Amino acid sequence: MTRPSVSLIGSFRRHYAEVLEAAQLFTDAGMVVKSPPMSRIINHGHEFVRFECDPPMSSDHAIQAATMEKIFSSDVVYVVNPDGYIGRTTAYELGRVHERGLAVFYAEPPKDLPIDIPEGTVVDARSLAKIIGGEGAPPDPVRRPRVAALPTADIVIFTIRFNRLHVLLVKRGTDPYRGRLAIPGGFVRPGESLEDTARRELREETGLNDAGIRLQQLRTYSHPQRDPRGRIISTVFLAITPDLPEVAGASDAHRADWVEVEESLWGHNSSLAFDHGEILQNGLEHVRRLLEHTTIGVDFCGELFAISDLRKVYEAVWGFELNSGNFQRKVRKTTGFVVKTNKVRSSRPGAPAELFRRGTAGILYPPMMRPRQRGRTGTP
Amino acid sequence: MTRPSVSLIGSFRRHYAEVLEAAQLFTDAGMVVKSPPMSRIINHGHEFVRFECDPPMSSDHAIQAATMEKIFSSDVVYVVNPDGYIGRTTAYELGRVHERGLAVFYAEPPKDLPIDIPEGTVVDARSLAKIIGGEGAPPDPVRRPRVAALPTADIVIFTIRFNRLHVLLVKRGTDPYRGRLAIPGGFVRPGESLEDTARRELREETGLNDAGIRLQQLRTYSHPQRDPRGRIISTVFLAITPDLPEVAGASDAHRADWVEVEESLWGHNSSLAFDHGEILQNGLEHVRRLLEHTTIGVDFCGELFAISDLRKVYEAVWGFELNSGNFQRKVRKTTGFVVKTNKVRSSRPGAPAELFRRGTAGILYPPMMRPRQRGRTGTP
DNA sequence: AGAATAGTGTCTATGAGACAGTATATG
DNA sequence: CATATACTGTCTCATAGACACTATTCT
């Protein structure tokens, strides 16, 4: 059980004595005071207060940003406004805090600010400290703080190049993790669903037109500290494309590139930005499983493909060699998997291969099981 | 392509002429001005401005809440501050708008407010109107508006009662959808991951201690209009419990109850709140598939169970009758599925049943396929 | 005794896996 | 010609599915 934390906001210029007093009360009650830093004020008289511990060269707004971080990391916000007065900076902070859904309490009802003051949120510091620090159940706004987050859609885009599984990664151009590889994705914009965002990002990153590329959700990653910029929740989608030479680099500002999956996961110099290593691993396992009971393997192939192309897909994704003859039989017999055309391909040595198109089935029945015990070769 | 929209904020008391002028410019450029309402001011001289069209009896903060809705629904926010001055209300609005990640432009650099003013965001109304309404690509802050959302974790909790699949639903006590049945869930609180939230809600709704109930993610629902209260993004989890008589109603305020799944999906008087009908359907299909390749079926059983109990689970979830003999063979032969104990049960007519415990395997290999073509009976 | 349930045995069809063999292309 | 590839055929083994049968309990 971690100790409850609180941040104090208000006009430090006018009410610093009361702030210190309240901070002392909260500390005595066993709480952590995240902000303000209990440090000496060095610019008395100014509207924006600076503390001794603040980095002296940084701008007001840099210090303010750091303060907001501390405020957001606390469980409760307490507004120290003994005369009801709330300054512009405090009003701004209140706006951000409200939008995040943190629990807010006030020393006095705020004057001249058109905000809702729920019942029970005007309370003196001593009572609040007792309520939160003490044993009793905290009042409603404390029990039900909500947190707002920025949702993003990230896409694990797989393809096969040179008979190996590749994933599309972008090199980050900005902090955090500047220069590291990351899974492409972006923030949800007004009016978009996560699926909309994913499709837009897919277009932007790959330069592909919508055509045909299907997206499916994998998982949502929401660990509170997964992104140092703040509360960002990423829903990850899976996309699969055939090997398209013109794709990489066709994107906007940040360069996108195909990277071999094994290399990006286990190679030296490979650690991805954020938790994207874990995401990629989960994506890999997912697509491996999908090949077992769905027809998604054909998404790796172009419109026309030979059975051996499809086999190469399975071999690349699973990392197993499969028996060519048995694979043929299996694929041809499973209804709806592939549809024969009257075309053949005879560009390389060997017998000419019949060409196929994708079938209508989405699910393989019976499934194409990957061999479980190592060492054995054999069909799916 | 919908027309781009803008909201104007700033001290209407001091700068209403400039606000009207800017609004006219934006309108002429083909944009929609969402706020302020182009209406007459009726309380000249007051800090908080009221318009003729505002509902006269409502409080300041109710009007402000409505205004925030309009602001949030616009693509761009323009701060009308010809002298740089920003009032408290505007500072509050700015805080909320920043936290939402909307694109903000300023007439002048804001004075005495410690916020970051990105390059290119101080621009006069005429230029902004031309940039946004015109053909050219809008500048960065316009192209990349972000949207903040309130994440929730909802849980589809299945169990089996009287040999039928049931789901735990709550009756909503508040609007919207007051009185309708809904899938239990709740908002993410500060410091929680979605998984944390789901586990807490599971505890709160079912009154169960953590013990043993496993949670897994199903999908995230993010349609922009899925919740009339605003932008709420729900990640849905799946939980399975054995039939526990003491569960229902053991929860807090809102009553939770087991409802038969078929009834809640297809029965008359059955439509669930929000998009929860769709969610439940997807959850049902998911658990049906999980029974095929995982050992999750044993989660429906208590600690000790007979093979026939497990068969009843499969029959209830799949809606098929299975051949008892073949099911026996299959379950006993699949390594890791169940572990024999030395206990037997002989309470009902029939031969005494050997009792089993869950095995260590999580995945069934080979899988237990449900019969695809109707009419045929037989084992999985 | 009769009904209900647990569990085993048996037969058949099907498919997986291994591998041989044939046909047809390239170089 | 050698070689690579595509595809078919055949054999074995494992399992699914159907069903008969026995054993054991409760009413």
Side-chain angles (χ1 to χ4, degrees):
Chain A
M1 194 58 197
T2 75
R3 290 152 72 201
S5 57
V6 63
S7 283
L8 309 180
I9 65 176
S11 173
F12 295 163
R13 180 168 62 85
R14 295 165 66 141
H15 304 306
Y16 201 56
E18 289 87 343
V19 169
L20 286 177
E21 189 190 348
Q24 191 60 48
L25 282 168
F26 289 127
T27 308
D28 291 347
M31 299 176 69
V32 180
V33 177
K34 297 251 183 177
S35 172
M38 294 292 98
S39 164
R40 224 156 47 79
I41 293 182
I42 57 177
N43 67 340
H44 283 283
H46 286 71
E47 166 73 23
F48 187 78
V49 167
R50 283 178 172 248
F51 293 96
E52 203 170 26
C53 64
D54 288 332
M57 302 300 292
S58 46
S59 63
D60 283 359
H61 80 251
I63 293 176
Q64 176 68 21
T67 304
M68 289 309 309
E69 293 265 325
K70 289 187 214 139
I71 294 173
F72 286 148
S73 73
S74 57
D75 299 316
V76 172
V77 175
Y78 188 59
V79 183
V80 180
N81 60 338
D83 53 0
Y85 171 83
I86 290 201
R88 284 203 302 282
T89 303
T90 305
Y92 175 77
E93 289 168 340
L94 262 184
R96 296 194 60 181
V97 163
H98 277 170
E99 195 56 31
R100 279 252 176 152
L102 292 187
V104 183
F105 293 86
Y106 308 87
E108 291 293 327
K111 270 193 211 135
D112 276 341
L113 200 58
I115 58 175
D116 184 32
I117 314 295
E119 189 114 7
T121 56
V122 176
V123 57
D124 65 294
R126 192 179 303 273
S127 313
L128 184 60
K130 202 183 289 177
I131 292 168
I132 298 175
E135 294 299 304
D140 213 52
V142 182
R143 264 179 53 232
R144 304 192 181 284
R146 301 165 175 188
V147 63
L150 292 176
T152 78
D154 294 352
I155 324 173
V156 177
I157 312 171
F158 284 125
T159 197
I160 296 198
R161 317 186 78 195
F162 320 118
N163 289 333
R164 289 179 175 272
L165 185 66
H166 284 63
V167 62
L168 193 74
L169 297 177
V170 298
K171 185 165 253 164
R172 284 185 60 79
T174 58
D175 279 325
Y177 295 101
R178 179 197 295 261
R180 295 271 276 283
L181 291 177
I183 292 167
F187 291 96
V188 172
R189 297 187 190 165
E192 283 184 338
S193 69
L194 285 162
E195 281 73 13
D196 295 334
T197 307
R199 187 150 294 283
R200 174 175 54 72
E201 291 291 338
L202 182 65
R203 252 201 316 274
E204 291 178 7
E205 304 287 353
T206 66
L208 292 169
N209 48 359
D210 275 328
I213 298 187
R214 293 180 294 183
L215 282 163
Q216 60 175 288
Q217 261 194 43
L218 294 185
R219 233 191 86 176
T220 299
Y221 294 79
S222 62
H223 187 83
Q225 275 84 41
R226 62 181 291 279
D227 192 313
R229 291 168 296 180
R231 197 67 213 246
I232 294 179
I233 293 188
S234 295
T235 298
V236 176
F237 289 79
L238 173 71
I240 286 171
T241 88
D243 185 6
L244 296 162
E246 80 276 17
V247 166
S251 75
D252 58 0
H254 34 266
R255 271 209 324 289
D257 254 318
W258 293 113
V259 181
E260 203 185 316
V261 170
E262 294 291 323
E263 177 64 28
S264 67
L265 278 176
W266 317 118
H268 50 256
N269 195 8
S270 65
S271 82
L272 303 183
F274 306 106
D275 50 1
H276 289 190
E278 182 197 349
I279 291 176
L280 181 53
Q281 253 182 288
N282 293 347
L284 174 60
E285 178 52 30
H286 196 92
V287 76
R288 281 180 171 159
R289 262 225 286 281
L290 282 178
L291 284 193
E292 294 192 301
H293 9 262
T294 75
T295 59
I296 205 173
V298 298
D299 287 7
F300 282 103
C301 305
E303 202 193 342
L304 288 176
F305 54 90
I307 304 249
S308 63
D309 297 334
L310 190 56
R311 195 187 73 234
K312 294 267 165 56
V313 167
Y314 275 82
E315 291 176 338
V317 176
W318 282 351
F320 286 106
E321 296 235 323
L322 299 180
N323 181 289
S324 131
N326 293 336
F327 189 85
Q328 289 266 351
R329 228 187 324 108
K330 171 73 185 175
V331 171
R332 296 171 105 102
K333 280 210 303 193
T334 306
T335 55
F337 199 173
V338 296
V339 177
K340 203 162 162 174
T341 67
N342 51 10
K343 304 201 176 65
V344 295
R345 179 185 64 190
S346 54
S347 49
R348 341 173 200 185
E354 300 181 83
L355 291 180
F356 293 79
R357 222 181 278 287
R358 69 176 323 136
T360 54
I363 291 185
L364 287 182
Y365 187 83
M368 175 99 75
M369 301 302 282
R370 59 183 142 159
R372 275 299 187 282
Q373 59 272 56
R374 277 270 179 159
R376 251 171 128 183
T377 153
T379 322
Chain B
M1 193 59 198
T2 74
R3 292 152 70 202
S5 58
V6 63
S7 283
L8 310 179
I9 66 176
S11 171
F12 296 164
R13 181 170 60 87
R14 295 165 68 142
H15 306 305
Y16 200 55
E18 289 89 342
V19 168
L20 285 176
E21 190 190 346
Q24 191 60 48
L25 282 166
F26 290 127
T27 309
D28 291 348
M31 300 176 65
V32 179
V33 177
K34 298 253 184 173
S35 169
M38 296 290 96
S39 164
R40 224 159 46 78
I41 293 183
I42 56 175
N43 64 342
H44 283 282
H46 286 71
E47 166 73 23
F48 187 79
V49 167
R50 283 175 173 251
F51 293 96
E52 202 170 25
C53 63
D54 288 331
M57 301 302 291
S58 45
S59 62
D60 284 359
H61 80 252
I63 293 176
Q64 175 68 21
T67 304
M68 288 309 309
E69 292 267 323
K70 290 187 213 137
I71 293 173
F72 286 147
S73 72
S74 58
D75 298 317
V76 173
V77 174
Y78 188 58
V79 183
V80 181
N81 59 338
D83 53 0
Y85 172 84
I86 290 200
R88 283 203 302 282
T89 303
T90 306
Y92 175 77
E93 289 169 339
L94 262 184
R96 295 195 61 180
V97 163
H98 277 169
E99 195 57 31
R100 279 250 177 155
L102 292 187
V104 183
F105 294 87
Y106 309 86
E108 292 292 328
K111 271 195 211 136
D112 275 342
L113 200 58
I115 58 175
D116 184 32
I117 314 294
E119 190 114 5
T121 56
V122 176
V123 57
D124 65 294
R126 191 178 302 273
S127 314
L128 185 60
K130 202 183 288 175
I131 293 170
I132 299 177
E135 293 300 301
D140 214 50
V142 182
R143 268 180 47 233
R144 302 190 183 286
R146 301 165 175 186
V147 63
L150 292 177
T152 77
D154 294 351
I155 326 174
V156 178
I157 312 172
F158 284 126
T159 198
I160 296 198
R161 317 187 78 194
F162 321 118
N163 289 334
R164 290 178 174 271
L165 186 66
H166 284 64
V167 62
L168 193 73
L169 297 177
V170 298
K171 186 165 253 166
R172 285 186 58 80
T174 59
D175 279 324
Y177 295 102
R178 180 198 295 261
R180 295 272 274 284
L181 291 178
I183 292 166
F187 290 96
V188 173
R189 298 188 190 165
E192 283 184 337
S193 68
L194 285 162
E195 282 73 13
D196 294 334
T197 306
R199 186 150 295 283
R200 174 174 53 72
E201 291 292 338
L202 182 65
R203 251 202 315 273
E204 290 178 6
E205 304 288 351
T206 65
L208 291 170
N209 48 357
D210 275 325
I213 298 186
R214 293 180 294 186
L215 283 163
Q216 60 175 288
Q217 261 193 43
L218 294 185
R219 234 190 86 178
T220 299
Y221 294 81
S222 63
H223 187 83
Q225 275 85 41
R226 62 182 291 277
D227 193 313
R229 289 169 296 179
R231 198 67 212 247
I232 293 179
I233 293 189
S234 295
T235 299
V236 176
F237 289 78
L238 173 71
I240 286 169
T241 88
D243 184 6
L244 297 162
E246 80 274 17
V247 166
S251 74
D252 57 0
H254 33 268
R255 268 210 328 288
D257 254 317
W258 293 112
V259 180
E260 202 184 317
V261 170
E262 293 293 324
E263 177 65 26
S264 66
L265 278 176
W266 317 118
H268 51 257
N269 194 7
S270 66
S271 83
L272 302 184
F274 307 106
D275 50 0
H276 289 190
E278 182 197 349
I279 291 176
L280 181 53
Q281 253 183 288
N282 293 346
L284 174 60
E285 179 52 30
H286 196 92
V287 75
R288 279 179 172 160
R289 262 226 285 283
L290 282 179
L291 284 193
E292 293 191 303
H293 352 268
T294 74
T295 58
I296 206 174
V298 298
D299 288 7
F300 283 103
C301 305
E303 203 194 343
L304 287 177
F305 54 90
I307 303 250
S308 64
D309 297 334
L310 190 55
R311 195 188 71 234
K312 293 268 166 55
V313 167
Y314 275 83
E315 291 176 337
V317 177
W318 282 350
F320 286 105
E321 295 237 322
L322 300 179
N323 179 290
S324 131
N326 293 337
F327 189 85
Q328 288 265 353
R329 229 189 321 109
K330 172 73 185 173
V331 170
R332 298 171 103 104
K333 280 212 304 194
T334 306
T335 56
F337 198 174
V338 297
V339 178
K340 203 163 159 176
T341 67
N342 51 11
K343 304 201 177 62
V344 295
R345 179 184 64 191
S346 52
S347 49
R348 341 174 201 187
E354 300 180 85
L355 292 179
F356 294 79
R357 220 180 280 286
R358 68 176 324 136
T360 54
I363 292 185
L364 286 183
Y365 187 83
M368 175 99 74
M369 301 302 284
R370 57 184 144 159
R372 274 300 187 279
Q373 58 273 55
R374 277 270 179 159
R376 250 171 127 184
T377 154
T379 319

